[in-house]
């Protein structure tokens, strides 16, 4: 328990198991809520992926502010040699994937409670639960389905696909089956694995390339 007196300015802290016993909540800037805190108010920060250490989303040193982002943070993924891979289910308030960058879900669930801007590549096995509450901007980006190696059937919905790629390079490949009509405003590439339209319309505005399936 802490009982601060007078004015306070707090920044760049990682707080856990802390009780603020004062009359006014502590509102740190550029800080991380590690849980079980009372009397603290954490705002949102813009946190940028650097990938300095590895590809693990859950490694604090891979982020410019030195902590794993909170659910209220605004995330920017830039192009690096170590593109981020989710290590667990993650929630964020806003996501921007910049040109040349890739975010891989790797079978983990994903929730974006704000806007979603994909100018790079959003890679998923296809069995994840993912949702975006706010506005989509995916016109110039790519959704890439890579499968999970089970040889099963994976349903894909009608997300606002800019470009769509199916590239399941596992030894045992999945079949990607349309759950609804699928519309692609850019290009559709079926590189490896199988695509089943399931008697639903598949509308591609750009070019279609089929090397597999």
């Amino acid at each position: 328990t802490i009982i601060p007196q007078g004015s306070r300015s707090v920044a760049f802290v990682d707080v856990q198991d802390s009780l603020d016993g004062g009359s006014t909540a502590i509102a740190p800037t550029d800080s991380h809520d590690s849980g079980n805190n009372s009397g603290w108010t954490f705002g949102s920060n813009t946190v940028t992926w650097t990938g300095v250490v590895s590809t693990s989303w859950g490694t604090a040193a891979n982020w410019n502010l030195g902590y794993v982002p909170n659910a209220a943070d605004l995330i920017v993924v830039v192009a690096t040699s170590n593109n981020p891979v989710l290590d667990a289910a993650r929630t964020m308030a806003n996501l921007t994937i910049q040109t040349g960058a890739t975010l891989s879900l790797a079978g983990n669930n994903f929730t974006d409670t704000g806007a979603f801007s994909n100018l790079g590549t959003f890679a998923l096995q296809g069995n994840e639960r993912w949702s975006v509450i706010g506005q989509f901007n995916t016109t110039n980006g790519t959704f890439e389905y890579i499968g999970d190696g089970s040889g099963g059937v994976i349903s894909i919905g009608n997300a606002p696909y800019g470009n769509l790629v199916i590239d399941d390079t596992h030894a045992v490949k999945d079949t990607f089956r349309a759950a609804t009509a699928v519309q692609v405003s850019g290009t559709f590439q079926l590189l490896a694995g199988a695509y089943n339209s399931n008697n639903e319309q598949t509308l591609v505005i750009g070019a279609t390339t089929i090397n597999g399936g």
Side-chain angles (χ1 to χ4, degrees), residues 16-151:
Q16 184 175 20
D17 302 325
S18 178
L19 170 63
D20 170 22
S23 59
T24 304
I26 300 175
T29 58
D30 298 311
S31 297
H32 184 235
D33 177 9
S34 286
N36 196 32
N37 297 305
S38 179
W40 291 76
T41 301
F42 293 87
S44 63
N45 298 309
T46 298
V47 188
T48 301
W49 173 263
T50 63
V52 170
V53 175
S54 67
T55 63
S56 175
W57 181 285
T59 298
N62 284 323
W63 298 94
N64 71 317
L65 295 184
Y67 70 80
V68 179
N70 298 315
D73 285 334
L74 316 178
I75 311 302
V76 179
V77 176
V78 300
T80 66
S81 57
N82 287 328
N83 285 306
V85 179
L86 291 194
D87 59 321
R90 295 291 180 180
T91 298
M92 59 211 68
N94 188 291
L95 174 66
T96 299
I97 304 173
Q98 293 188 350
T99 301
T102 298
L103 171 61
S104 299
L105 300 192
N108 297 292
N109 296 337
F110 165 90
T111 303
D112 183 348
T113 58
F116 176 81
S117 180
N118 178 22
L119 305 175
T121 300
F122 187 65
L124 56 164
Q125 293 179 356
N127 54 8
E128 304 92 343
R129 292 192 303 274
W130 66 276
S131 64
V132 175
I133 308 302
Q135 182 178 5
F136 271 93
N137 175 18
T138 61
T139 303
N140 298 311
T142 297
F143 280 75
E144 181 177 14
Y145 288 91
I146 63 173
D148 60 8
S150 68

Side-chain angles (χ1 to χ4, degrees), residues 179-204:
T180 62
V182 172
Q183 181 168 328
V184 183
S185 60
T187 62
F188 176 34
Q189 298 181 73
L190 178 57
L191 303 180
Y195 176 69
N196 179 359
S197 66
N198 196 31
N199 294 319
E200 300 284 354
Q201 182 186 51
T202 300
L203 176 62
V204 181

